[in-house]
């Protein structure tokens, strides 16, 4: 068994233009002061990392790791959630997703997609240069507008969407394979890979690619009313990254999963700071310890009620207290009477 690494924190929701959140050095000092041991970097945020430079310069990557090491921090993974989203965008979302892309490709879906693919290739090489083994992203979505089958979906529509999604991602997966890094898709509503079945549909179409894996975040399963505990057993071989994020689902006579277009505070399903929601983290951390999860426990803070800095402060202690330091011996070893094959055969009445 392995002791999970952590606590770590995903910096996407904290980076900003004001100190200490506006540079890698200052935000690293802030995170370390809260008790974090690792950080996950959003690769699109130039205040924290220059992705293209990281793909091309080992010296620059060594500087990044050195900056973090000065504060006692490790780099856990890079994230391309925004760029991955743009690998596949249904036209209905073109305008809303344009803001995720570089200014020079906005308003041009074909150029935007090419830019996103290039970003993923940069991320693969940057991950290698940084000595990382896993990378987090989104799949994007072509079929999501048709998630509910009304009006009736034309025959073959979903197959065509997933065939195209796999066609776009297969070369990217190959690029990650070339550098020895797993590409982990966060299973998330709004993405074509939003539950176990859709992940399987995609995995089959990319030929069970050895680098196609999962970023596990139970909060997105609570909001879908999916069995997040059983998911761990079904997809154990593919769970290579872990976002520690809480959520709650409280249906009423007036709303359920779809929540009537309400804002986050008024929804039946809401993200919450760690410990304020319904996720059974004792079970999850126990499962991770028993199943040799090799990676990090990374806080992703999203809460419609609590201040982010309070969530970050409380989250470090929450994760630390849930990490199980695994035992190196059985609790009943003191009663071991010793045995050998001859004794075993006598006990069974075989000799």
């Amino acid at each position: 068994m392995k002791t999970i690494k952590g606590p770590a924190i995903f910096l996407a929701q904290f980076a900003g233009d004001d100190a200490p959140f506006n540079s890698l050095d200052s935000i690293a000092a802030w995170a370390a002061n809260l008790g974090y041991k690792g950080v996950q970097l959003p690769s699109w945020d130039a205040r924290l990392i220059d992705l293209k430079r990281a793909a091309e310069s080992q010296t620059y990557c060594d500087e990044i790791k050195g900056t973090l090491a000065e504060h006692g921090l490790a780099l856990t993974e890079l994230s391309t959630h925004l760029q991955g989203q743009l690998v596949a965008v249904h036209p209905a979302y073109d305008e809303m997703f344009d803001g995720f892309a570089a200014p020079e490709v906005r308003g041009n879906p074909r150029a935007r997609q090419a830019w996103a693919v290039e970003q993923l290739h940069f991320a693969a090489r940057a991950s290698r240069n940084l000595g990382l083994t896993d990378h987090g992203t989104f799949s994007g979505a072509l079929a999501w507008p048709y998630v509910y089958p009304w009006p009736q979906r034309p025959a073959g529509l979903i197959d065509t969407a997933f065939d195209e999604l796999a066609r776009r991602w297969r070369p990217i997966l190959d690029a990650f394979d070339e550098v020895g890094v797993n590409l982990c898709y966060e299973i998330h509503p709004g993405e074509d890979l939003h539950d176990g079945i859709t992940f399987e549909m995609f995995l089959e179409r990319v030929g069970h690619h050895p680098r196609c894996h999962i970023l596990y975040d139970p909060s997105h399963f609570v909001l879908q009313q999916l069995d997040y505990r059983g998911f761990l057993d079904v997809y154990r071989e593919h769970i290579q990254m872990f976002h520690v994020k809480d959520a709650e689902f409280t249906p009423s006579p007036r709303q359920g999963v779809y929540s009537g277009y309400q804002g986050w505070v008024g929804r039946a399903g809401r993200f919450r700071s760690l410990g304020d929601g319904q996720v059974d983290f004792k079970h999850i951390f126990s499962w991770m310890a028993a199943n040799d999860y090799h990676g990090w426990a990374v806080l992703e803070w999203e809460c419609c009620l609590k201040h982010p800095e309070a969530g970050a402060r409380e989250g470090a202690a929450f994760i630390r207290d849930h990490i199980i330091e695994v035992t190196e011996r059985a609790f009943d070893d003191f009663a071991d009477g010793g045995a050998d094959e001859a004794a075993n055969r006598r006990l069974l009445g075989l000799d």
Side-chain angles (χ1 to χ4, degrees):
M1 297 187 295
K2 297 178 181 177
T3 298
I4 191 172
K5 293 179 284 189
I9 184 170
F10 185 28
L11 296 178
Q13 284 85 4
F14 299 96
D17 291 331
D18 298 323
F21 307 109
N22 57 351
S23 75
L24 183 61
D25 182 62
S26 60
I27 202 170
W30 167 80
N33 187 57
L34 293 179
Y36 289 101
K37 304 300 182 184
V39 295
Q40 186 178 95
L41 292 183
S43 69
W44 60 86
D45 198 317
R47 291 167 295 201
L48 306 182
I49 185 173
D50 182 328
L51 183 60
K52 184 175 185 292
R53 188 178 174 193
E56 297 173 347
S57 171
Q58 184 62 57
T59 300
Y60 175 64
C61 287
D62 292 342
E63 291 172 357
I64 290 174
K65 292 191 293 183
T67 296
L68 296 177
E70 288 176 1
H71 300 286
L73 294 173
L75 178 59
T76 67
E77 303 96 1
L78 297 180
S79 155
T80 53
H81 282 74
L82 299 195
Q83 302 98 311
Q85 181 76 66
L86 301 182
V87 171
V89 176
H90 187 280
Y93 298 104
D94 269 339
E95 186 170 346
M96 288 186 286
F97 280 141
D98 248 3
F100 288 5
E104 63 269 19
V105 299
R106 294 173 187 169
N108 186 337
R110 188 179 297 274
R112 185 185 63 206
Q113 186 202 352
W115 174 85
V117 170
E118 181 183 52
Q119 288 281 298
L120 265 295
H121 282 270
F122 287 157
R125 299 199 298 274
S127 295
R128 175 199 58 200
N129 292 343
L130 289 161
L132 304 175
T133 59
D134 302 286
H135 180 82
T137 196
F138 277 152
S139 68
L142 299 173
W144 181 254
Y146 312 104
V147 65
Y148 195 82
W150 182 257
Q152 187 181 81
R153 292 187 290 252
L157 177 69
I158 302 303
D159 287 333
T160 299
F162 272 80
D163 289 346
E164 177 63 19
L165 189 70
R167 186 193 68 79
R168 296 185 186 189
W169 276 103
R170 182 60 191 258
I172 300 171
L173 284 161
D174 288 343
F176 275 83
D177 193 32
E178 289 174 5
V179 296
V181 177
N182 294 319
L183 189 54
C184 304
Y185 297 95
E186 183 167 359
I187 306 302
H188 188 290
E191 309 303 314
D192 279 345
L193 275 58
H194 59 270
D195 59 12
I197 290 176
T198 50
F199 175 75
E200 291 175 22
M201 291 165 61
F202 179 74
L203 183 63
E204 180 179 0
R205 284 169 169 81
V206 295
H208 292 266
H209 199 286
R211 295 298 174 181
C212 182
H213 292 294
I214 290 171
L215 190 169
Y216 175 77
D217 181 338
S219 69
H220 300 300
F221 299 161
V222 170
L223 269 58
Q224 296 184 74
Q225 290 297 280
L226 187 154
D227 179 4
Y228 63 86
R229 291 179 294 190
F231 188 96
L232 291 166
D233 290 322
V234 174
Y235 300 103
R236 67 175 67 223
E237 66 183 287
H238 288 293
I239 295 171
Q240 303 293 330
M241 289 178 61
F242 175 26
H243 273 174
V244 190
K245 194 170 83 192
D246 213 343
E248 62 188 358
F249 183 76
T250 310
S252 74
R254 301 179 67 210
Q255 63 169 248
V257 170
Y258 303 112
S259 291
Y261 299 110
Q262 299 305 294
W264 279 111
V265 172
R267 295 182 68 83
R270 310 189 297 187
F271 298 127
R272 299 298 307 276
S273 283
L274 288 183
D276 294 342
Q278 299 168 345
V279 175
D280 183 357
F281 284 108
K282 287 186 177 179
H283 175 92
I284 293 172
F285 277 87
S286 294
W287 186 96
M288 296 287 185
N291 288 273
D292 294 336
Y293 172 68
H294 76 281
W296 288 81
V298 181
L299 168 75
E300 183 183 23
W301 176 86
E302 291 180 348
C303 183
C304 57
L305 299 176
K306 186 168 287 184
H307 192 280
E309 292 184 50
R313 182 179 62 251
E314 295 171 5
F318 184 94
I319 294 174
R320 184 187 64 244
D321 291 345
H322 277 76
I323 290 175
I324 296 172
E325 184 178 355
V326 300
T327 181
E328 296 177 351
R329 61 185 180 88
F331 64 88
D332 55 358
D333 278 356
F334 75 94
D336 182 12
D340 55 35
E341 181 61 19
N344 290 340
R345 292 185 65 82
R346 288 194 303 273
L347 288 170
L348 294 170
L350 302 178
D351 291 332

